[in-house]
Amino acid sequence: MRALTWQGRRDVSVENVPDPTIHHDTDIIIKVTSSGLCGSDLHLYEVLGAFLHPGDVLGHEPMGEVVEKGSAVTNLELGDRVVIPFQISCGHCFMCEQGLQTQCETTQVRESGMGAALFGYTDLYGGVPGGQAEYLRVPHGDYGPIKVDQGPPDDRFLFLSDVVPTAYQAVAYSGVREGETLAVLGLGPIGEMACRIALQQGVRVIGIDMVPERIGRAASRGVETIDLSSEDVPVVVREKTQGRGADAVVDAVGMEAHGSPVAETAQKLVGFLPRKVEQTVMTNASIDRLAAFYSAIDIVRRGGTISLSGVYAGASDPLPMQTMFDKQITVRMGQANVRRWLDDVMPLVEDASDPLGLETFATHHVPLEQAPEAYATFQAKQDGAIKYVFRP
């Protein structure tokens, strides 16, 4: 089959790889009909290469048709249409029963000290082949896949794999309530979807970015926007909030934030070290670009909450603990527990009026063969690229 593979720093290519096969009686195999390009995939493109190997298949936002299943999978039939959550979880361990599927005790990658295995996301998370491919093996196919209706287009359901539950968890973890103010740092796919979800809940939303297309799209849906390239974000936020700051902040940017030149240089230099040394540095002494997190600490009001949905991976990040302690800031974070939020998000996804604008959310649909160009364009924030969807 054809699949998008990692070959090196800023180097991905579509190659012929072996077709997946059933390994366990709870596996299924899907024919992928759509697969998203996530902002966190760009971390693999740039920063996390120490934990990848040439030929690794990327991608963790797929959906498709069940074409094969193990004997223990009784809840799905061949031909069923399913969305695959980005994490692999069993559904019956202690953590899954707590709604913490990204901490699944069955699939935890203990040798790396990490949580549940993820599709297409480095050795740190199990080295499981990803979904930017023509076919995908899905472990724990008796629990993870989300069966959806046959009628609407893929884009109505595809974002259940990651974007919608991640954005929903970001808003939920912020603790923001109707009538309060939520600031969202980063108006990429997760940040903009968080804005849409918060607006549905009657929350006032201030969106912050520096890309004109992202700012304009968020503003068109009722978000108050700030252009961080030309405005003093903390000053403007406080002007909009009676001098206090936002009740809550979602950081949807993560480890590769603009405005962190020292950390950016360090991240790039690490990429030139021998592989084993690079892994050691990344595991024990790495730092993130923390400009977005620092901004969140600045603009949240005293007693407010910061919700981190952007991916962080630093092992020795410096934080202003005095300020965080003095301001009584609450911080919640983590990978989204997709199935935890299904009952909350499915009414929005299945609503015929499409209140979240899912069918028009993606800005680009391209064949899988064009994935390398899509990665480069998306990283450069060119061509109005906010969300790519591949059609294998």
Side-chain angles (χ1 to χ4, degrees), residues 85 87 89 101 143-147 165 337-343:
Q87 80 268 153
S89 54
Q101 286 86 351
Y143 172 70
I146 304 163
K147 184 177 176 180
N337 304 294
V338 173
R339 279 201 159 271
R340 160 68 178 82
W341 305 108
L342 276 188
D343 289 345

mmCIF file of all heavy atoms in Angstrom, residues 85 87 89 101 143-147 165 337-343:
data_model
loop_
_atom_site.group_PDB
_atom_site.id
_atom_site.type_symbol
_atom_site.label_atom_id
_atom_site.label_comp_id
_atom_site.label_asym_id
_atom_site.label_seq_id
_atom_site.Cartn_x
_atom_site.Cartn_y
_atom_site.Cartn_z
ATOM 1 N N PRO A 85 -10.018 7.093 16.966
ATOM 2 C CA PRO A 85 -9.361 8.028 17.887
ATOM 3 C C PRO A 85 -7.843 7.909 17.811
ATOM 4 O O PRO A 85 -7.304 6.832 17.542
ATOM 5 C CB PRO A 85 -9.874 7.584 19.263
ATOM 6 C CG PRO A 85 -11.170 6.898 18.984
ATOM 7 C CD PRO A 85 -10.962 6.209 17.661
ATOM 8 N N GLN A 87 -5.586 7.945 20.106
ATOM 9 C CA GLN A 87 -4.933 7.081 21.079
ATOM 10 C C GLN A 87 -5.515 5.672 21.013
ATOM 11 O O GLN A 87 -6.643 5.467 20.552
ATOM 12 C CB GLN A 87 -5.047 7.636 22.503
ATOM 13 C CG GLN A 87 -6.361 7.398 23.209
ATOM 14 C CD GLN A 87 -7.344 8.518 23.017
ATOM 15 O OE1 GLN A 87 -8.542 8.310 23.072
ATOM 16 N NE2 GLN A 87 -6.842 9.733 22.802
ATOM 17 N N SER A 89 -6.672 2.534 23.169
ATOM 18 C CA SER A 89 -7.071 2.221 24.535
ATOM 19 C C SER A 89 -7.980 1.000 24.548
ATOM 20 O O SER A 89 -8.640 0.686 23.556
ATOM 21 C CB SER A 89 -7.763 3.421 25.185
ATOM 22 O OG SER A 89 -8.842 3.873 24.389
ATOM 23 N N GLN A 101 -8.558 7.712 28.886
ATOM 24 C CA GLN A 101 -8.116 6.747 27.874
ATOM 25 C C GLN A 101 -6.688 6.994 27.417
ATOM 26 O O GLN A 101 -6.019 6.050 26.969
ATOM 27 C CB GLN A 101 -9.080 6.784 26.675
ATOM 28 C CG GLN A 101 -10.429 6.133 26.944
ATOM 29 C CD GLN A 101 -11.449 7.071 27.573
ATOM 30 O OE1 GLN A 101 -11.122 8.189 27.971
ATOM 31 N NE2 GLN A 101 -12.695 6.631 27.657
ATOM 32 N N TYR A 143 -13.092 -1.707 20.892
ATOM 33 C CA TYR A 143 -13.445 -0.584 21.763
ATOM 34 C C TYR A 143 -13.222 0.782 21.110
ATOM 35 O O TYR A 143 -14.112 1.631 21.139
ATOM 36 C CB TYR A 143 -12.633 -0.649 23.067
ATOM 37 C CG TYR A 143 -12.807 0.575 23.939
ATOM 38 C CD1 TYR A 143 -14.011 0.811 24.580
ATOM 39 C CD2 TYR A 143 -11.772 1.509 24.091
ATOM 40 C CE1 TYR A 143 -14.199 1.950 25.374
ATOM 41 C CE2 TYR A 143 -11.941 2.649 24.883
ATOM 42 C CZ TYR A 143 -13.150 2.859 25.522
ATOM 43 O OH TYR A 143 -13.323 3.974 26.298
ATOM 44 N N GLY A 144 -12.060 1.004 20.537
ATOM 45 C CA GLY A 144 -11.680 2.346 20.110
ATOM 46 C C GLY A 144 -12.506 2.946 18.992
ATOM 47 O O GLY A 144 -12.958 4.096 19.096
ATOM 48 N N PRO A 145 -12.715 2.234 17.871
ATOM 49 C CA PRO A 145 -13.361 2.854 16.722
ATOM 50 C C PRO A 145 -14.761 3.385 17.041
ATOM 51 O O PRO A 145 -15.519 2.777 17.812
ATOM 52 C CB PRO A 145 -13.428 1.706 15.703
ATOM 53 C CG PRO A 145 -12.302 0.809 16.094
ATOM 54 C CD PRO A 145 -12.234 0.875 17.580
ATOM 55 N N ILE A 146 -15.080 4.525 16.435
ATOM 56 C CA ILE A 146 -16.383 5.161 16.611
ATOM 57 C C ILE A 146 -17.201 4.915 15.345
ATOM 58 O O ILE A 146 -16.874 5.422 14.275
ATOM 59 C CB ILE A 146 -16.220 6.675 16.842
ATOM 60 C CG1 ILE A 146 -15.299 6.946 18.050
ATOM 61 C CG2 ILE A 146 -17.572 7.349 17.015
ATOM 62 C CD1 ILE A 146 -14.774 8.373 18.095
ATOM 63 N N LYS A 147 -18.258 4.123 15.457
ATOM 64 C CA LYS A 147 -19.100 3.830 14.297
ATOM 65 C C LYS A 147 -19.984 5.031 14.009
ATOM 66 O O LYS A 147 -20.614 5.589 14.908
ATOM 67 C CB LYS A 147 -19.954 2.594 14.556
ATOM 68 C CG LYS A 147 -20.793 2.160 13.363
ATOM 69 C CD LYS A 147 -21.573 0.885 13.671
ATOM 70 C CE LYS A 147 -22.480 0.496 12.515
ATOM 71 N NZ LYS A 147 -23.245 -0.746 12.824
ATOM 72 N N PRO A 165 -12.736 16.393 20.007
ATOM 73 C CA PRO A 165 -12.579 16.068 21.432
ATOM 74 C C PRO A 165 -11.418 16.807 22.096
ATOM 75 O O PRO A 165 -11.498 17.154 23.280
ATOM 76 C CB PRO A 165 -12.366 14.551 21.443
ATOM 77 C CG PRO A 165 -11.981 14.186 20.058
ATOM 78 C CD PRO A 165 -12.635 15.184 19.168
ATOM 79 N N ASN A 337 -8.857 12.695 25.961
ATOM 80 C CA ASN A 337 -9.431 11.365 26.163
ATOM 81 C C ASN A 337 -10.667 11.259 25.273
ATOM 82 O O ASN A 337 -11.781 11.598 25.686
ATOM 83 C CB ASN A 337 -9.794 11.183 27.636
ATOM 84 C CG ASN A 337 -8.598 11.419 28.539
ATOM 85 O OD1 ASN A 337 -7.632 10.676 28.530
ATOM 86 N ND2 ASN A 337 -8.648 12.503 29.316
ATOM 87 N N VAL A 338 -10.468 10.832 24.031
ATOM 88 C CA VAL A 338 -11.483 10.973 22.991
ATOM 89 C C VAL A 338 -12.831 10.403 23.429
ATOM 90 O O VAL A 338 -13.867 11.079 23.390
ATOM 91 C CB VAL A 338 -11.020 10.325 21.679
ATOM 92 C CG1 VAL A 338 -12.144 10.330 20.648
ATOM 93 C CG2 VAL A 338 -9.796 11.060 21.130
ATOM 94 N N ARG A 339 -12.839 9.155 23.866
ATOM 95 C CA ARG A 339 -14.128 8.534 24.190
ATOM 96 C C ARG A 339 -14.777 9.143 25.431
ATOM 97 O O ARG A 339 -16.002 9.058 25.586
ATOM 98 C CB ARG A 339 -13.967 7.019 24.331
ATOM 99 C CG ARG A 339 -13.947 6.310 22.971
ATOM 100 C CD ARG A 339 -14.300 4.837 23.085
ATOM 101 N NE ARG A 339 -14.744 4.292 21.811
ATOM 102 C CZ ARG A 339 -16.002 4.287 21.397
ATOM 103 N NH1 ARG A 339 -16.947 4.813 22.155
ATOM 104 N NH2 ARG A 339 -16.318 3.759 20.238
ATOM 105 N N ARG A 340 -14.002 9.779 26.283
ATOM 106 C CA ARG A 340 -14.567 10.442 27.458
ATOM 107 C C ARG A 340 -15.581 11.509 27.062
ATOM 108 O O ARG A 340 -16.560 11.785 27.791
ATOM 109 C CB ARG A 340 -13.426 11.064 28.277
ATOM 110 C CG ARG A 340 -13.819 12.161 29.252
ATOM 111 C CD ARG A 340 -14.656 11.633 30.403
ATOM 112 N NE ARG A 340 -14.989 12.691 31.348
ATOM 113 C CZ ARG A 340 -16.002 13.558 31.197
ATOM 114 N NH1 ARG A 340 -16.765 13.502 30.114
ATOM 115 N NH2 ARG A 340 -16.247 14.480 32.118
ATOM 116 N N TRP A 341 -15.363 12.153 25.913
ATOM 117 C CA TRP A 341 -16.181 13.310 25.542
ATOM 118 C C TRP A 341 -17.220 13.008 24.466
ATOM 119 O O TRP A 341 -17.942 13.921 24.031
ATOM 120 C CB TRP A 341 -15.271 14.443 25.072
ATOM 121 C CG TRP A 341 -14.230 14.807 26.071
ATOM 122 C CD1 TRP A 341 -12.884 14.557 25.996
ATOM 123 C CD2 TRP A 341 -14.436 15.446 27.339
ATOM 124 N NE1 TRP A 341 -12.241 15.013 27.121
ATOM 125 C CE2 TRP A 341 -13.168 15.564 27.970
ATOM 126 C CE3 TRP A 341 -15.562 15.945 28.007
ATOM 127 C CZ2 TRP A 341 -13.001 16.153 29.223
ATOM 128 C CZ3 TRP A 341 -15.401 16.524 29.254
ATOM 129 C CH2 TRP A 341 -14.134 16.629 29.847
ATOM 130 N N LEU A 342 -17.341 11.742 24.048
ATOM 131 C CA LEU A 342 -18.238 11.439 22.922
ATOM 132 C C LEU A 342 -19.685 11.834 23.184
ATOM 133 O O LEU A 342 -20.368 12.382 22.313
ATOM 134 C CB LEU A 342 -18.167 9.952 22.562
ATOM 135 C CG LEU A 342 -17.034 9.521 21.635
ATOM 136 C CD1 LEU A 342 -17.227 8.069 21.227
ATOM 137 C CD2 LEU A 342 -16.928 10.405 20.408
ATOM 138 N N ASP A 343 -20.191 11.541 24.378
ATOM 139 C CA ASP A 343 -21.589 11.874 24.666
ATOM 140 C C ASP A 343 -21.827 13.376 24.609
ATOM 141 O O ASP A 343 -22.946 13.825 24.320
ATOM 142 C CB ASP A 343 -21.996 11.337 26.042
ATOM 143 C CG ASP A 343 -22.116 9.814 26.074
ATOM 144 O OD1 ASP A 343 -22.169 9.210 24.990
ATOM 145 O OD2 ASP A 343 -22.148 9.254 27.179
#
